[in-house]
Amino acid sequence: MNWATSEKPFKYAALSLTTFFILQVFLCVNLDKWVHPEPFESSQAGQLDPKIVSSLRAAALLSGYKVLVGHVFWIRVIQYYGDGSNGADHYAKLYDYCRLASDLNPQFLPVYTYGAAALAYQQNRMNEGVELLQKGILANPTVNNLKLMLAAMTYHNSEDYAKEIPFLEIQIAQGNAPTMLVNILANTYTKAGRIDDAIRLWRQILQTTDSDVQKYEASQKLKELYAIAKKNPSEKDKS
Amino acid sequence: MTTPSNLAIHIKGLSKTYKTGFWFKPKITHALNNLTLDVYEKEAFGLLGLNGAGKTTAIKIILGFLAPTAGSVQVLGGKISDREVRNQIGYLSELPYFSRQHTGRELLEYFGSLHGLSGSKLHRRVDEVLELVRMSKASREKVSGYSKGMLQRIGIGQALIGKPKLLICDEPMSGLDPVGYKEMRDIFIDLKKMGTTLFLNTHIMDEVERVCDRIGILHGGQLREVASVSDILQSSVHVDYWVDVDSQDASRLAGTPFQKSIAENGGVQITGSSLSETLNLLNQRQVKTKGLRPLSSVMEAYFLKSIAGQSSTESGRASK
Amino acid sequence: MRRIFCVAQFTFRELIRSNMLYIWFLSVVVFSALAFLLSILSFGEVQKIFMDLGLVGMEFSGLLVLILSLAVTYNTEFDQKAIYLQLAKPITRGEYLLGRVFGFFSIISLVIIGMGLFIAGLVTLVGGGQVPVLFVYSTLFLLIEMFVLTTLGLTFQMIGTSMVGVVLYTMFTIFLGHGMGQVDWLLNQKLAPTVKTMLRIVHFLLPNLEAFNLKDRIYDPNLVLGWTQWQEVLLYAFAYSFVVFLIGWINLEKREFM
Ligand SMILES: Nc1ncnc2c1ncn2[C@@H]1O[C@H](COP(=O)(O)OP(=O)(O)O)[C@@H](O)[C@H]1O
Ligand SMILES: [Mg+2]
């Protein structure tokens, strides 16, 4: 059979074109169920520049590289929190930044663990930290880390430090926890009165960390703790 | 539509109009105007014409690259869209181009496989063709390093790879050096002996004289005439002659109707004459001739006469 | 069939010798460096970041190879008229086009699969981690996407009258195709019927590349990817490329080679 310029194949072509067009209409409708982009939860930009927020979202959604944009933006968030000059207003934009990062990349856990720890423990913004964790748990219902962290934070909020400690311990033992959580655990030991455990942990941090800031913090804390321990030797006997 | 079985190409009332320019200012070119032409099997037919005469357009329509505005073409008794018809045709385009990343052998293998050849049959045929176009040596080099002449040889090679019954070439001699030219001409003569129908576009008269059986002269999209080459060569077409004479003899030729100019060194150009007339003239005036040679070939003179003869030079073209 | 294979092989060889694999090398280097940098900076989940960025790099290099191949072959085939000699041979234009599609697709697959293996190797051998099966599925989806885009790009090549035009059409369609997810979402909102109809037409004409975008949802716990979804996506890809291929073929048949 000759499939070149003669007329017959064009009839077949026209026929199959229409058939496939119809098939495609059907598929287009069906695919809607498969491609169901979740609209961004936080529609308002909060304290962030709405222009930047919307252009970032547009870039993520239109390019087809949402995850990539999310990862890159997350670096921006970390830089924001790492920049001491932003401390003047106590990192006011941190919560909005974390929300936006989690919008872009809802399954990227460091956004929640790191963000919530920073907000709740370091900046004393417990409500925002809890909200961020809630969002993370809803988006990642199978991830235990986030639930442990929420439990720890809830006890911390009600100053029930003794109950908080196991949740932090389990989480750290599981790995995947932000390093700042170890510091937090050490501080919580102190608050719960477990000075020995606190000293042990800070020593451990001092030995293992590469960060000068953390080394300095650890040695400061150890000095304080040794002072307390000398005053209160009975604690030492207990353990 | 039926055609006599001995027709290789049957062109009937073929016209082609190009529309170029912008939609608000279209430029229309009538490249072909009611061309009717038959090429017989096993003959070598040369289509002659100046640049822009419409030769390439005619070939493109024959091969199905362009749709005619009017008229029809039959090739080897069928339509060009038929795979079987194309299987029996070899085509060499004007300045053939190949993607630069392959070797000559790979290209011929590719074109051979498009003809349905494969395996050892293909390799044998490729070797044969490489030998024929004298490219065996460079066949494993990349095409990007080939000279123009080598490209033309691979071009003719790919046209011949399927052992075509009909070979269509668009200005096959353009850009070849004298050696390449002679080799190409020999290939054509061999092919003709083997019974291949040749359809050549050209404006090289020497090639026409030695290769073609018949010619058609195309001017401004119109076919001026079709004639057999042997008839033309025997005809009494007027050619310019150059006569070498001494200067005093040259003065004897003064005033003759044929004389155009008298050169310093005593040569005389006799314009537009046949050989017998020229000899007669020289005899009459008792000129001692030291030499006599034609200034153009009969073919060329015939061609020039043909395209100048009939009225307008712009017959086939109109604008707007 | 044999002729289609020959054209594909010829195209593949041409593209590979046009140094398309440098793109692979370049992508591997650039995206590994980027992934390395991001994973250092971002506190954890190094392997996840590496795979995420790897998938982006795979798509990127695939698209780059596609676009460059379109440009290179437009130049040789149409600008320099190498296509003439091929179409004068006993091959139909449909076979020629299909051969081109497969030739393009094979080199794009080579680049994508090569990079995927590199990333998987790095994650398992160096990182000691595990490559989730969804990473493999994402790669397959990427290949399906590339097949659709290859047919589309080559169809544009058959229609287009300049190299720049072909490249721009293709890039524009890729961009809009990725935006189709948003059109999907818009269609589920309350909108004026005329707007909705217009959106439906756009949605219908352009390829829904989000349907193949598994890489952005690889860790999504709500993801349902069963046999039905595979069927739908595969069928959609096939139907879309078939229609596009036919359009390209008809255009090549009707094309006048000036
Ligand atoms: N693609 C084109 N678009 C517009 N005009 C063209 C085109 N190709 C050829 N022509 C015109 O058609 C006429 C015949 O051209 P062509 O067939 O190439 O002549 P030849 O091969 O005899 O030199 C010329 O006047 C040329 O300008
Ligand atoms: Mg020409």
Side-chain angles (χ1 to χ4, degrees):
Chain A
M1 204 190 323
N2 161 36
W3 277 88
T5 0
S6 65
E7 279 68 38
K8 224 179 184 180
F10 276 95
K11 272 183 208 152
Y12 291 130
L15 205 72
S16 28
L17 261 179
T18 29
T19 326
F20 274 91
F21 263 126
I22 293 164
L23 182 66
Q24 225 206 307
V25 172
F26 165 76
L27 282 168
C28 266
V29 172
N30 244 18
L31 272 175
D32 286 2
K33 290 177 209 146
W34 159 250
V35 183
H36 54 99
E38 294 128 47
F40 285 134
E41 280 172 27
S42 35
S43 49
Q44 69 280 77
Q47 299 205 22
L48 308 180
D49 183 351
K51 263 187 221 155
I52 292 175
V53 173
S54 43
S55 51
L56 202 69
R57 284 175 178 166
L61 287 178
L62 295 178
S63 68
Y65 298 108
K66 201 170 110 185
V67 169
L68 176 72
V69 176
H71 280 318
V72 173
F73 182 68
W74 174 238
I75 303 301
R76 171 80 197 99
V77 180
I78 290 171
Q79 281 173 343
Y80 171 80
Y81 195 53
D83 182 354
S85 68
N86 292 321
D89 59 355
H90 304 284
Y91 306 97
K93 292 177 185 169
L94 183 61
Y95 176 52
D96 292 318
Y97 265 139
C98 287
R99 266 200 316 180
L100 186 50
S102 68
D103 274 351
L104 294 171
N105 210 347
Q107 275 78 43
F108 190 59
L109 302 178
V111 178
Y112 306 110
T113 52
Y114 181 91
L119 282 167
Y121 289 105
Q122 297 188 332
Q123 303 303 322
N124 284 324
R125 284 148 70 179
M126 191 53 80
N127 287 346
E128 290 177 346
V130 169
E131 264 172 51
L132 190 64
L133 267 185
Q134 266 177 343
K135 192 180 169 193
I137 290 170
L138 289 177
N140 305 278
T142 56
V143 177
N144 280 328
N145 252 358
L146 299 177
K147 295 172 199 163
L148 290 170
M149 192 152 176
L150 183 63
M153 270 162 58
T154 317
Y155 285 120
H156 190 88
N157 203 23
S158 53
E159 299 181 6
D160 205 343
Y161 302 119
K163 282 184 181 164
E164 181 188 358
I165 285 170
F167 289 102
L168 290 175
E169 282 176 343
I170 295 172
Q171 202 183 351
I172 289 165
Q174 280 182 348
N176 269 342
T179 40
M180 79 165 86
L181 222 57
V182 185
N183 295 17
I184 290 166
L185 177 61
N187 286 335
T188 314
Y189 278 141
T190 318
K191 279 182 185 164
R194 291 166 64 176
I195 307 293
D196 277 353
D197 286 328
I199 290 175
R200 181 183 46 79
L201 198 54
W202 279 120
R203 273 190 182 150
Q204 196 186 322
I205 292 170
L206 191 64
Q207 279 161 12
T208 51
T209 187
D210 296 329
S211 146
D212 289 339
V213 179
Q214 223 180 0
K215 262 186 192 152
Y216 177 74
E217 194 185 349
S219 53
Q220 289 295 314
K221 291 279 179 187
L222 278 173
K223 260 183 219 163
E224 286 170 27
L225 287 171
Y226 285 141
I228 298 173
K230 261 177 207 160
K231 267 186 209 163
N232 200 351
S234 58
E235 283 281 324
K236 212 176 180 180
D237 298 336
K238 259 186 209 171
S239 58
Chain B
M1 198 160 53
T2 52
T3 42
S5 59
N6 62 339
L7 282 188
I9 304 177
H10 177 62
I11 300 173
K12 212 167 126 191
L14 201 64
S15 296
K16 179 67 190 177
T17 310
Y18 287 111
K19 285 191 193 70
T20 48
F22 301 103
W23 58 272
F24 54 86
K25 199 182 166 194
K27 188 172 163 288
I28 289 173
T29 314
H30 299 285
L32 277 183
N33 211 337
N34 198 15
L35 174 70
T36 298
L37 181 67
D38 285 334
V39 176
Y40 301 107
E41 270 188 359
K42 304 196 174 179
E43 78 167 336
F45 189 93
L47 193 59
L48 273 63
L50 301 176
N51 287 331
K55 308 181 296 288
T56 300
T57 305
I59 282 193
K60 281 186 182 173
I61 294 174
I62 292 172
L63 288 166
F65 292 144
L66 288 175
T69 313
S72 65
V73 178
Q74 269 195 310
V75 189
L76 297 171
K79 274 187 174 180
I80 192 68
S81 56
D82 192 342
R83 194 204 285 275
E84 255 322 296
V85 169
R86 285 207 304 278
N87 200 13
Q88 299 173 15
I89 293 180
Y91 165 57
L92 173 63
S93 61
E94 201 174 352
L95 305 176
Y97 187 91
F98 308 99
S99 54
R100 289 304 190 230
Q101 307 298 340
H102 309 269
T103 66
R105 173 176 293 273
E106 282 167 348
L107 275 174
L108 290 187
E109 276 170 1
Y110 172 56
F111 284 108
S113 67
L114 294 185
H115 272 290
L117 297 173
S118 61
S120 59
K121 236 182 183 175
L122 175 65
H123 290 293
R124 224 176 308 132
R125 182 65 192 149
V126 167
D127 285 335
E128 261 171 46
V129 169
L130 281 171
E131 197 60 42
L132 184 71
V133 299
R134 294 176 182 84
M135 282 293 292
S136 305
K137 256 189 209 160
S139 70
R140 291 188 194 277
E141 284 166 28
K142 265 197 190 179
V143 171
S144 50
Y146 282 8
S147 70
K148 210 170 168 185
M150 289 159 101
L151 281 177
Q152 197 81 0
R153 285 172 205 215
I154 291 294
I156 191 82
Q158 65 78 29
L160 295 177
I161 195 102
K163 294 189 176 161
K165 266 171 105 176
L166 168 64
L167 183 66
I168 300 177
C169 299
D170 197 348
E171 313 215 351
M173 305 300 192
S174 60
L176 288 183
D177 59 25
V179 176
Y181 166 74
K182 191 184 162 297
E183 283 174 1
M184 190 72 92
R185 202 183 57 203
D186 291 346
I187 291 173
F188 283 138
I189 292 171
D190 283 350
L191 285 171
K192 213 175 87 180
K193 276 187 201 145
M194 280 154 50
T196 310
T197 313
L198 298 177
F199 184 88
L200 312 174
N201 264 0
T202 187
H203 49 235
I204 299 179
M205 296 304 151
D206 183 45
E207 176 190 2
V208 174
E209 245 181 78
R210 301 206 193 184
V211 176
C212 295
D213 299 318
R214 287 197 309 146
I215 57 156
I217 293 176
L218 200 61
H219 188 60
Q222 274 175 326
L223 189 65
R224 282 291 164 84
E225 55 191 297
V226 176
S228 114
V229 170
S230 54
D231 286 355
I232 294 171
L233 292 179
Q234 281 159 28
S235 72
S236 52
V237 187
H238 290 194
V239 179
D240 291 1
Y241 286 96
W242 182 263
V243 188
D244 273 336
V245 289
D246 289 336
S247 37
Q248 68 263 36
D249 280 352
S251 60
R252 278 196 224 160
L253 279 169
T256 58
F258 308 113
Q259 180 191 336
K260 198 179 174 192
S261 66
I262 298 171
E264 288 280 300
N265 61 352
V268 174
Q269 185 180 347
I270 308 261
T271 314
S273 165
S274 70
L275 184 58
S276 52
E277 274 177 281
T278 310
L279 290 174
N280 270 346
L281 179 79
L282 294 173
N283 255 342
Q284 262 174 31
R285 302 276 167 122
Q286 293 176 341
V287 177
K288 225 163 123 198
T289 318
K290 290 194 286 188
L292 176 72
R293 61 196 149 92
L295 284 176
S296 60
S297 70
V298 173
M299 211 63 203
E300 193 177 315
Y302 186 85
F303 172 68
L304 290 175
K305 197 191 90 187
S306 174
I307 60 170
Q310 282 145 35
S311 56
S312 73
T313 47
E314 290 286 294
S315 58
R317 316 237 221 114
S319 42
K320 272 182 193 174
Chain C
M1 261 337 261
R2 249 201 72 77
R3 289 181 169 93
I4 296 172
F5 174 76
C6 288
V7 179
Q9 193 190 23
F10 186 76
T11 310
F12 180 78
R13 195 167 55 204
E14 177 179 349
L15 291 178
I16 245 189
R17 290 190 190 165
S18 310
N19 297 332
M20 286 300 165
L21 288 190
Y22 280 158
I23 294 175
W24 180 81
F25 186 71
L26 204 78
S27 301
V28 165
V29 170
V30 167
F31 278 90
S32 301
L34 195 64
F36 189 63
L37 199 75
L38 282 190
S39 51
I40 286 176
L41 291 175
S42 75
F43 300 109
E45 305 239 39
V46 177
Q47 292 173 8
K48 199 165 165 178
I49 291 177
F50 213 81
M51 283 187 279
D52 282 346
L53 285 204
L55 282 168
V56 171
M58 280 150 79
E59 184 172 12
F60 234 74
S61 48
L63 291 179
L64 214 61
V65 170
L66 172 63
I67 299 229
L68 285 178
S69 304
L70 282 175
V72 166
T73 52
Y74 190 89
N75 182 46
T76 43
E77 296 293 300
F78 291 96
D79 284 344
Q80 312 273 10
K81 305 176 179 174
I83 191 174
Y84 281 37
L85 296 178
Q86 295 166 65
L87 292 188
K89 292 289 170 202
I91 179 177
T92 65
R93 297 183 182 189
E95 285 170 342
Y96 168 82
L97 184 54
L98 205 56
R100 287 259 140 193
V101 170
F102 286 131
F104 270 52
F105 184 61
S106 48
I107 188 154
I108 292 172
S109 311
L110 187 73
V111 167
I112 287 181
I113 292 172
M115 195 154 166
L117 287 177
F118 175 78
I119 288 154
L122 220 57
V123 167
T124 49
L125 301 179
V126 180
Q130 253 188 341
V131 175
V133 70
L134 274 171
F135 179 82
V136 180
Y137 289 169
S138 301
T139 312
L140 290 178
F141 268 56
L142 214 58
L143 290 177
I144 300 171
E145 180 190 11
M146 284 301 153
F147 188 78
V148 173
L149 289 178
T150 304
T151 14
L152 198 79
L154 278 165
T155 291
F156 282 141
Q157 204 183 51
M158 299 304 126
I159 298 169
T161 49
S162 81
M163 188 176 94
V164 177
V166 171
V167 168
L168 283 184
Y169 289 152
T170 311
M171 294 209 305
F172 203 59
T173 314
I174 291 167
F175 180 70
L176 290 179
H178 272 305
M180 281 303 113
Q182 285 335 94
V183 176
D184 264 341
W185 178 76
L186 274 177
L187 281 171
N188 290 328
Q189 309 301 111
K190 278 198 193 96
L191 287 173
T194 42
V195 177
K196 235 178 178 165
T197 315
M198 298 239 296
L199 280 176
R200 278 238 168 266
I201 292 171
V202 169
H203 185 244
F204 173 68
L205 287 179
L206 289 169
N208 191 346
L209 298 185
E210 283 303 292
F212 313 120
N213 191 358
L214 194 58
K215 71 175 189 307
D216 271 1
R217 303 166 62 187
I218 193 164
Y219 300 105
D220 185 351
N222 303 319
L223 179 71
V224 187
L225 181 59
W227 178 226
T228 0
Q229 281 76 28
W230 273 99
Q231 259 176 326
E232 270 174 19
V233 168
L234 276 171
L235 208 60
Y236 175 72
F238 179 70
Y240 196 88
S241 2
F242 190 81
V243 170
V244 166
F245 171 77
L246 280 183
I247 293 171
W249 179 16
I250 290 171
N251 263 284
L252 183 60
E253 289 281 356
K254 295 282 167 205
R255 187 166 182 145
E256 295 229 305
F257 293 92
M258 293 301 201

